[in-house]
Amino acid sequence: MQNTTPHILVVDDHSEIRNAVTRFLEKNGLRTSMAKDAREMDTMLVSNNIDLVVLDVMMPGEDGLSACKRLSQVGDVPVLLLTALGEDIDRIVGLETGADDYLAKPFNPRELLARIRAILRRTSGTTSPAGKLVGKRIRFAQWILDTDRRVIVDSDGRETSLTSADFKLLIVMLERARMVLSREQLMELTSGRVGAPLDRTIDNQISRLRRKIEQDLLRPRLITTFRNGGYCLSADIEVLDK
């Protein structure tokens, strides 16, 4: 009989942290495996069916950000980054590389467990971040989004690649075109978590996406801002044949 208990891979070069996290997760009903670096992580991913990777950023050899970016380009295994970096920009970079969430060290093990469960709930049974739009081409304004290739194409045929964070955010907004979405809603829909009161993650992700799709950054027309409200994709969408 197939074991349906979620299998978590803990990747950290500090054995004390690896062992402590593993014991806590197993005590709370999860299966776990361990790796001390990105090379061991790759081996474990090939030989096991891993449901989520808990990945330390600061590791010798290939660091966690590089490993996370690589994973996001070749598959859909969710990643939760563990980082000792406290600056917002470092956390945002982590999300830009494709991480599903991040947690700063030192952390409360119960918060780690809650974050893991939130990611698993969001990704359970989901084969693509594109959701209902998987395998589609979507026209909005002067752009066409190819959900399979994760690129947007302008009216002259020029392509722009999207990071995982760009792609998730754009999909959420396309599925809710012309709806005003609060920062809290966007955080929940893109990462499955609730942001802190001063969390600027969504604002920074909106700014990065605007740089790719807006003609005039000073007067954005596609992603509009609503005071005390949030953001809205102000365009009609059309689903095209492949």
Side-chain angles (χ1 to χ4, degrees):
M1 182 179 296
Q2 184 178 3
N3 192 339
T4 59
T5 303
H7 191 175
I8 312 302
L9 177 59
V10 180
V11 187
D12 198 302
D13 61 307
H14 291 95
S15 60
E16 298 87 352
I17 296 177
R18 285 200 311 272
N19 292 330
V21 170
T22 294
R23 286 194 301 269
F24 182 80
L25 295 181
E26 289 181 344
K27 182 180 178 181
N28 284 274
L30 297 172
R31 287 187 296 150
T32 61
S33 295
M34 295 184 287
K36 70 176 185 297
D37 55 25
R39 181 173 296 182
E40 282 195 0
M41 176 193 75
D42 290 341
T43 300
M44 294 298 300
L45 288 171
V46 169
S47 58
N48 295 271
N49 184 18
I50 301 297
D51 296 292
L52 183 144
V53 177
V54 177
L55 179 60
D56 185 34
V57 169
M58 304 298 290
M59 296 190 299
E62 184 181 19
D63 65 39
L65 292 178
S66 174
C68 180
K69 183 176 182 179
R70 180 164 54 80
L71 288 178
S72 72
Q73 293 172 339
V74 299
D76 291 314
V77 60
V79 176
L80 189 156
L81 286 177
L82 297 180
T83 174
L85 305 175
E87 296 296 329
D88 283 345
I89 187 64
D90 296 314
R91 299 174 185 179
I92 292 165
V93 168
L95 295 174
E96 286 291 325
T97 63
D100 292 79
D101 204 350
Y102 61 84
L103 191 59
K105 295 179 180 179
F107 55 85
N108 185 316
R110 292 189 178 280
E111 183 175 4
L112 173 63
L113 179 63
R115 298 285 185 95
I116 288 173
R117 286 175 170 167
I119 295 172
L120 291 174
R121 282 196 301 271
R122 190 176 75 253
T123 59
S124 176
T126 300
T127 58
S128 170
K132 296 178 181 178
L133 299 180
V134 64
K136 306 293 185 180
R137 291 190 307 139
I138 314 299
R139 186 195 303 277
F140 64 105
Q142 74 270 27
W143 297 101
I144 294 176
L145 168 66
D146 187 322
T147 60
D148 282 343
R149 298 171 56 221
R150 300 191 183 188
V151 299
I152 49 175
V153 186
D154 68 13
S155 55
D156 294 323
R158 291 187 293 264
E159 295 185 352
T160 301
S161 298
L162 300 174
T163 66
S164 293
D166 292 337
F167 184 71
K168 290 176 184 177
L169 179 59
L170 182 55
I171 287 293
V172 164
M173 302 194 82
L174 286 171
E175 289 180 330
R176 299 159 182 82
R178 298 198 178 278
M179 291 176 56
V180 178
L181 300 170
S182 69
R183 291 170 178 82
E184 292 76 14
Q185 287 175 312
L186 287 169
M187 180 71 82
E188 173 68 24
L189 290 166
T190 57
S191 66
R193 66 183 180 86
V194 177
L198 299 179
D199 195 327
R200 303 289 295 178
T201 300
I202 289 298
D203 297 313
N204 283 281
Q205 288 181 350
I206 288 287
S207 294
R208 284 172 168 75
L209 183 56
R210 276 174 168 164
R211 292 189 195 116
K212 295 186 176 181
I213 68 173
E214 295 284 3
Q215 293 182 330
D216 186 350
L217 285 175
L218 297 178
R219 299 176 179 82
R221 295 179 178 272
L222 287 180
I223 300 180
T224 51
T225 304
F226 286 76
R227 187 181 299 275
N228 299 322
Y231 297 102
C232 175
L233 181 71
S234 300
D236 295 324
I237 71 167
E238 178 185 2
V239 179
L240 306 175
D241 294 330
K242 288 294 284 184

Tab-separated table of all heavy atoms in Angstrom, residues 97-141:
chain	number	residue	atom	x	y	z
A	97	THR	N	13.330	33.493	-6.584
A	97	THR	CA	13.988	32.310	-7.131
A	97	THR	C	13.049	31.130	-7.256
A	97	THR	O	13.403	30.111	-7.843
A	97	THR	CB	15.189	31.894	-6.267
A	97	THR	OG1	14.727	31.527	-4.956
A	97	THR	CG2	16.217	33.002	-6.160
A	98	GLY	N	11.845	31.244	-6.701
A	98	GLY	CA	10.866	30.177	-6.829
A	98	GLY	C	10.423	29.560	-5.527
A	98	GLY	O	9.633	28.613	-5.533
A	99	ALA	N	10.925	30.056	-4.395
A	99	ALA	CA	10.511	29.498	-3.108
A	99	ALA	C	9.028	29.760	-2.857
A	99	ALA	O	8.488	30.784	-3.255
A	99	ALA	CB	11.348	30.107	-1.981
A	100	ASP	N	8.388	28.820	-2.181
A	100	ASP	CA	6.979	28.974	-1.848
A	100	ASP	C	6.781	29.763	-0.568
A	100	ASP	O	5.735	30.362	-0.355
A	100	ASP	CB	6.327	27.598	-1.705
A	100	ASP	CG	6.242	26.871	-3.034
A	100	ASP	OD1	7.258	26.312	-3.456
A	100	ASP	OD2	5.167	26.900	-3.647
A	101	ASP	N	7.799	29.754	0.296
A	101	ASP	CA	7.737	30.510	1.546
A	101	ASP	C	9.140	30.585	2.115
A	101	ASP	O	10.068	29.931	1.612
A	101	ASP	CB	6.784	29.841	2.543
A	101	ASP	CG	6.223	30.813	3.581
A	101	ASP	OD1	6.718	31.960	3.648
A	101	ASP	OD2	5.312	30.426	4.326
A	102	TYR	N	9.308	31.385	3.153
A	102	TYR	CA	10.597	31.489	3.830
A	102	TYR	C	10.354	31.638	5.321
A	102	TYR	O	9.270	32.041	5.767
A	102	TYR	CB	11.398	32.691	3.313
A	102	TYR	CG	10.699	34.018	3.537
A	102	TYR	CD1	10.795	34.680	4.751
A	102	TYR	CD2	9.926	34.586	2.536
A	102	TYR	CE1	10.127	35.879	4.973
A	102	TYR	CE2	9.251	35.781	2.749
A	102	TYR	CZ	9.371	36.420	3.959
A	102	TYR	OH	8.702	37.595	4.182
A	103	LEU	N	11.368	31.287	6.099
A	103	LEU	CA	11.295	31.414	7.543
A	103	LEU	C	12.681	31.787	8.049
A	103	LEU	O	13.668	31.119	7.714
A	103	LEU	CB	10.828	30.106	8.178
A	103	LEU	CG	10.445	30.127	9.659
A	103	LEU	CD1	9.311	31.120	9.900
A	103	LEU	CD2	10.027	28.736	10.105
A	104	ALA	N	12.755	32.874	8.813
A	104	ALA	CA	14.046	33.364	9.291
A	104	ALA	C	14.473	32.625	10.554
A	104	ALA	O	13.659	32.327	11.427
A	104	ALA	CB	13.973	34.867	9.566
A	105	LYS	N	15.761	32.296	10.610
A	105	LYS	CA	16.336	31.711	11.824
A	105	LYS	C	16.639	32.819	12.827
A	105	LYS	O	17.031	33.909	12.423
A	105	LYS	CB	17.627	30.970	11.490
A	105	LYS	CG	17.459	29.754	10.585
A	105	LYS	CD	18.837	29.143	10.338
A	105	LYS	CE	18.749	27.917	9.447
A	105	LYS	NZ	20.079	27.340	9.188
A	106	PRO	N	16.534	32.544	14.129
A	106	PRO	CA	15.972	31.320	14.717
A	106	PRO	C	14.452	31.318	14.584
A	106	PRO	O	13.828	32.365	14.562
A	106	PRO	CB	16.401	31.413	16.184
A	106	PRO	CG	16.503	32.888	16.447
A	106	PRO	CD	16.995	33.500	15.159
A	107	PHE	N	13.858	30.151	14.507
A	107	PHE	CA	12.421	30.059	14.290
A	107	PHE	C	11.789	29.127	15.320
A	107	PHE	O	12.449	28.271	15.923
A	107	PHE	CB	12.106	29.547	12.881
A	107	PHE	CG	12.769	28.237	12.556
A	107	PHE	CD1	12.182	27.030	12.915
A	107	PHE	CD2	13.982	28.209	11.881
A	107	PHE	CE1	12.787	25.825	12.619
A	107	PHE	CE2	14.604	27.003	11.586
A	107	PHE	CZ	14.013	25.807	11.952
A	108	ASN	N	10.494	29.299	15.510
A	108	ASN	CA	9.723	28.419	16.367
A	108	ASN	C	9.347	27.181	15.548
A	108	ASN	O	8.758	27.305	14.474
A	108	ASN	CB	8.456	29.141	16.846
A	108	ASN	CG	7.658	28.341	17.846
A	108	ASN	OD1	7.449	27.143	17.677
A	108	ASN	ND2	7.186	29.009	18.892
A	109	PRO	N	9.682	25.984	16.026
A	109	PRO	CA	9.356	24.773	15.260
A	109	PRO	C	7.884	24.659	14.908
A	109	PRO	O	7.534	24.147	13.840
A	109	PRO	CB	9.791	23.638	16.196
A	109	PRO	CG	10.839	24.244	17.070
A	109	PRO	CD	10.414	25.674	17.264
A	110	ARG	N	7.012	25.161	15.775
A	110	ARG	CA	5.582	25.093	15.482
A	110	ARG	C	5.209	25.993	14.303
A	110	ARG	O	4.305	25.677	13.539
A	110	ARG	CB	4.764	25.462	16.724
A	110	ARG	CG	4.873	24.431	17.839
A	110	ARG	CD	3.897	24.692	18.968
A	110	ARG	NE	3.998	23.665	19.989
A	110	ARG	CZ	3.436	22.461	19.909
A	110	ARG	NH1	2.709	22.155	18.840
A	110	ARG	NH2	3.570	21.585	20.872
A	111	GLU	N	5.908	27.119	14.168
A	111	GLU	CA	5.655	27.973	13.005
A	111	GLU	C	6.145	27.284	11.737
A	111	GLU	O	5.489	27.357	10.690
A	111	GLU	CB	6.342	29.331	13.170
A	111	GLU	CG	6.045	30.262	12.002
A	111	GLU	CD	6.607	31.660	12.171
A	111	GLU	OE1	7.304	31.902	13.180
A	111	GLU	OE2	6.352	32.493	11.287
A	112	LEU	N	7.298	26.627	11.819
A	112	LEU	CA	7.784	25.869	10.662
A	112	LEU	C	6.761	24.819	10.253
A	112	LEU	O	6.443	24.681	9.059
A	112	LEU	CB	9.117	25.204	11.000
A	112	LEU	CG	9.660	24.229	9.942
A	112	LEU	CD1	9.964	24.957	8.636
A	112	LEU	CD2	10.908	23.513	10.459
A	113	LEU	N	6.228	24.094	11.213
A	113	LEU	CA	5.227	23.070	10.914
A	113	LEU	C	3.986	23.686	10.278
A	113	LEU	O	3.443	23.150	9.302
A	113	LEU	CB	4.853	22.335	12.202
A	113	LEU	CG	3.798	21.229	12.075
A	113	LEU	CD1	4.298	20.105	11.179
A	113	LEU	CD2	3.440	20.690	13.464
A	114	ALA	N	3.551	24.830	10.797
A	114	ALA	CA	2.368	25.496	10.244
A	114	ALA	C	2.620	25.940	8.806
A	114	ALA	O	1.740	25.810	7.938
A	114	ALA	CB	1.991	26.699	11.109
A	115	ARG	N	3.818	26.466	8.537
A	115	ARG	CA	4.144	26.891	7.165
A	115	ARG	C	4.166	25.696	6.221
A	115	ARG	O	3.683	25.782	5.081
A	115	ARG	CB	5.510	27.597	7.157
A	115	ARG	CG	5.598	28.871	7.991
A	115	ARG	CD	4.905	30.040	7.329
A	115	ARG	NE	5.091	31.261	8.085
A	115	ARG	CZ	6.045	32.155	7.851
A	115	ARG	NH1	6.918	31.967	6.873
A	115	ARG	NH2	6.126	33.253	8.574
A	116	ILE	N	4.764	24.599	6.679
A	116	ILE	CA	4.822	23.398	5.844
A	116	ILE	C	3.416	22.905	5.518
A	116	ILE	O	3.099	22.592	4.364
A	116	ILE	CB	5.628	22.291	6.559
A	116	ILE	CG1	7.114	22.648	6.568
A	116	ILE	CG2	5.419	20.932	5.882
A	116	ILE	CD1	7.967	21.708	7.399
A	117	ARG	N	2.569	22.839	6.533
A	117	ARG	CA	1.201	22.360	6.301
A	117	ARG	C	0.428	23.285	5.371
A	117	ARG	O	-0.380	22.813	4.550
A	117	ARG	CB	0.491	22.203	7.642
A	117	ARG	CG	0.965	20.979	8.423
A	117	ARG	CD	0.347	20.901	9.805
A	117	ARG	NE	0.636	19.614	10.447
A	117	ARG	CZ	0.441	19.365	11.723
A	117	ARG	NH1	-0.060	20.312	12.526
A	117	ARG	NH2	0.728	18.186	12.238
A	118	ALA	N	0.663	24.592	5.474
A	118	ALA	CA	-0.016	25.540	4.585
A	118	ALA	C	0.401	25.313	3.138
A	118	ALA	O	-0.432	25.334	2.217
A	118	ALA	CB	0.295	26.969	5.012
A	119	ILE	N	1.689	25.089	2.913
A	119	ILE	CA	2.177	24.843	1.548
A	119	ILE	C	1.601	23.535	1.015
A	119	ILE	O	1.159	23.454	-0.135
A	119	ILE	CB	3.712	24.809	1.516
A	119	ILE	CG1	4.284	26.174	1.878
A	119	ILE	CG2	4.209	24.390	0.128
A	119	ILE	CD1	5.799	26.180	2.049
A	120	LEU	N	1.600	22.493	1.859
A	120	LEU	CA	1.083	21.196	1.422
A	120	LEU	C	-0.399	21.279	1.091
A	120	LEU	O	-0.864	20.661	0.119
A	120	LEU	CB	1.325	20.146	2.501
A	120	LEU	CG	2.792	19.750	2.738
A	120	LEU	CD1	2.895	18.807	3.926
A	120	LEU	CD2	3.400	19.122	1.494
A	121	ARG	N	-1.163	22.038	1.879
A	121	ARG	CA	-2.591	22.204	1.566
A	121	ARG	C	-2.773	22.878	0.215
A	121	ARG	O	-3.653	22.504	-0.566
A	121	ARG	CB	-3.276	23.037	2.658
A	121	ARG	CG	-3.584	22.286	3.935
A	121	ARG	CD	-4.592	23.048	4.790
A	121	ARG	NE	-4.110	24.382	5.152
A	121	ARG	CZ	-3.393	24.644	6.238
A	121	ARG	NH1	-3.052	23.663	7.060
A	121	ARG	NH2	-3.008	25.880	6.509
A	122	ARG	N	-1.952	23.888	-0.038
A	122	ARG	CA	-2.096	24.653	-1.278
A	122	ARG	C	-1.673	23.853	-2.500
A	122	ARG	O	-2.236	24.006	-3.579
A	122	ARG	CB	-1.274	25.939	-1.185
A	122	ARG	CG	-1.565	26.914	-2.330
A	122	ARG	CD	-0.797	28.205	-2.151
A	122	ARG	NE	0.608	28.052	-2.473
A	122	ARG	CZ	1.588	28.022	-1.584
A	122	ARG	NH1	1.319	28.099	-0.297
A	122	ARG	NH2	2.843	27.893	-1.968
A	123	THR	N	-0.662	22.999	-2.335
A	123	THR	CA	-0.111	22.287	-3.492
A	123	THR	C	-0.657	20.884	-3.644
A	123	THR	O	-0.397	20.232	-4.651
A	123	THR	CB	1.418	22.221	-3.389
A	123	THR	OG1	1.789	21.542	-2.165
A	123	THR	CG2	2.024	23.608	-3.382
A	124	SER	N	-1.415	20.401	-2.675
A	124	SER	CA	-1.930	19.032	-2.732
A	124	SER	C	-2.840	18.847	-3.940
A	124	SER	O	-3.823	19.570	-4.113
A	124	SER	CB	-2.712	18.709	-1.459
A	124	SER	OG	-3.279	17.421	-1.544
A	125	GLY	N	-2.476	17.898	-4.784
A	125	GLY	CA	-3.297	17.595	-5.959
A	125	GLY	C	-3.136	18.592	-7.084
A	125	GLY	O	-3.803	18.501	-8.102
A	126	THR	N	-2.235	19.560	-6.909
A	126	THR	CA	-2.031	20.570	-7.948
A	126	THR	C	-0.776	20.245	-8.732
A	126	THR	O	0.294	20.082	-8.159
A	126	THR	CB	-1.885	21.964	-7.329
A	126	THR	OG1	-3.076	22.247	-6.602
A	126	THR	CG2	-1.695	23.026	-8.388
A	127	THR	N	-0.881	20.132	-10.043
A	127	THR	CA	0.269	19.767	-10.860
A	127	THR	C	0.971	20.981	-11.437
A	127	THR	O	2.067	20.874	-11.938
A	127	THR	CB	-0.165	18.846	-12.017
A	127	THR	OG1	-1.170	19.523	-12.803
A	127	THR	CG2	-0.743	17.543	-11.482
A	128	SER	N	0.359	22.130	-11.386
A	128	SER	CA	0.969	23.319	-11.964
A	128	SER	C	0.452	24.571	-11.272
A	128	SER	O	-0.731	24.648	-10.939
A	128	SER	CB	0.664	23.404	-13.465
A	128	SER	OG	1.055	24.663	-13.985
A	129	PRO	N	1.339	25.577	-11.062
A	129	PRO	CA	0.870	26.854	-10.511
A	129	PRO	C	-0.138	27.552	-11.416
A	129	PRO	O	-0.805	28.486	-10.985
A	129	PRO	CB	2.166	27.671	-10.389
A	129	PRO	CG	3.268	26.672	-10.369
A	129	PRO	CD	2.792	25.553	-11.244
A	130	ALA	N	-0.232	27.107	-12.676
A	130	ALA	CA	-1.168	27.735	-13.607
A	130	ALA	C	-2.626	27.416	-13.272
A	130	ALA	O	-3.533	28.071	-13.783
A	130	ALA	CB	-0.863	27.298	-15.041
A	131	GLY	N	-2.854	26.408	-12.415
A	131	GLY	CA	-4.217	26.084	-12.009
A	131	GLY	C	-5.116	25.754	-13.183
A	131	GLY	O	-4.767	24.943	-14.043
A	132	LYS	N	-6.267	26.417	-13.253
A	132	LYS	CA	-7.235	26.146	-14.324
A	132	LYS	C	-6.726	26.607	-15.689
A	132	LYS	O	-7.260	26.205	-16.715
A	132	LYS	CB	-8.558	26.847	-14.013
A	132	LYS	CG	-9.251	26.333	-12.756
A	132	LYS	CD	-10.531	27.097	-12.491
A	132	LYS	CE	-11.218	26.618	-11.229
A	132	LYS	NZ	-12.453	27.376	-10.924
A	133	LEU	N	-5.697	27.454	-15.688
A	133	LEU	CA	-5.176	27.969	-16.960
A	133	LEU	C	-4.019	27.135	-17.500
A	133	LEU	O	-3.379	27.525	-18.474
A	133	LEU	CB	-4.718	29.423	-16.771
A	133	LEU	CG	-5.804	30.413	-16.339
A	133	LEU	CD1	-5.223	31.814	-16.187
A	133	LEU	CD2	-6.969	30.425	-17.328
A	134	VAL	N	-3.724	25.999	-16.875
A	134	VAL	CA	-2.609	25.165	-17.321
A	134	VAL	C	-2.796	24.767	-18.786
A	134	VAL	O	-3.887	24.430	-19.230
A	134	VAL	CB	-2.476	23.917	-16.424
A	134	VAL	CG1	-3.690	23.017	-16.523
A	134	VAL	CG2	-1.209	23.151	-16.762
A	135	GLY	N	-1.716	24.838	-19.549
A	135	GLY	CA	-1.745	24.460	-20.958
A	135	GLY	C	-2.402	25.465	-21.875
A	135	GLY	O	-2.596	25.190	-23.063
A	136	LYS	N	-2.734	26.649	-21.356
A	136	LYS	CA	-3.439	27.655	-22.149
A	136	LYS	C	-2.501	28.790	-22.567
A	136	LYS	O	-1.434	28.998	-22.000
A	136	LYS	CB	-4.598	28.247	-21.349
A	136	LYS	CG	-5.573	27.232	-20.776
A	136	LYS	CD	-6.342	26.521	-21.861
A	136	LYS	CE	-7.398	25.598	-21.240
A	136	LYS	NZ	-8.171	24.870	-22.288
A	137	ARG	N	-2.955	29.523	-23.576
A	137	ARG	CA	-2.362	30.824	-23.900
A	137	ARG	C	-3.409	31.874	-23.591
A	137	ARG	O	-4.562	31.749	-23.999
A	137	ARG	CB	-1.941	30.903	-25.362
A	137	ARG	CG	-0.754	30.017	-25.728
A	137	ARG	CD	-0.248	30.322	-27.124
A	137	ARG	NE	-1.333	30.260	-28.092
A	137	ARG	CZ	-1.498	31.117	-29.100
A	137	ARG	NH1	-0.658	32.134	-29.264
A	137	ARG	NH2	-2.506	30.978	-29.944
A	138	ILE	N	-3.003	32.897	-22.862
A	138	ILE	CA	-3.944	33.907	-22.389
A	138	ILE	C	-3.553	35.272	-22.945
A	138	ILE	O	-2.431	35.738	-22.734
A	138	ILE	CB	-3.945	33.986	-20.840
A	138	ILE	CG1	-4.000	32.586	-20.214
A	138	ILE	CG2	-5.088	34.861	-20.367
A	138	ILE	CD1	-5.221	31.792	-20.575
A	139	ARG	N	-4.493	35.915	-23.650
A	139	ARG	CA	-4.243	37.262	-24.152
A	139	ARG	C	-4.786	38.279	-23.151
A	139	ARG	O	-5.920	38.169	-22.683
A	139	ARG	CB	-4.923	37.494	-25.491
A	139	ARG	CG	-4.566	38.841	-26.141
A	139	ARG	CD	-5.526	39.203	-27.272
A	139	ARG	NE	-5.577	38.182	-28.290
A	139	ARG	CZ	-4.689	38.074	-29.283
A	139	ARG	NH1	-3.683	38.931	-29.368
A	139	ARG	NH2	-4.820	37.112	-30.182
A	140	PHE	N	-3.959	39.255	-22.802
A	140	PHE	CA	-4.401	40.382	-21.982
A	140	PHE	C	-3.646	41.616	-22.464
A	140	PHE	O	-2.435	41.614	-22.578
A	140	PHE	CB	-4.168	40.136	-20.482
A	140	PHE	CG	-2.726	39.989	-20.080
A	140	PHE	CD1	-2.066	41.018	-19.422
A	140	PHE	CD2	-2.028	38.812	-20.345
A	140	PHE	CE1	-0.743	40.891	-19.038
A	140	PHE	CE2	-0.701	38.679	-19.963
A	140	PHE	CZ	-0.059	39.717	-19.307
A	141	ALA	N	-4.427	42.654	-22.789
A	141	ALA	CA	-3.852	43.874	-23.380
A	141	ALA	C	-2.987	43.475	-24.577
A	141	ALA	O	-3.430	42.712	-25.431
A	141	ALA	CB	-3.076	44.665	-22.332
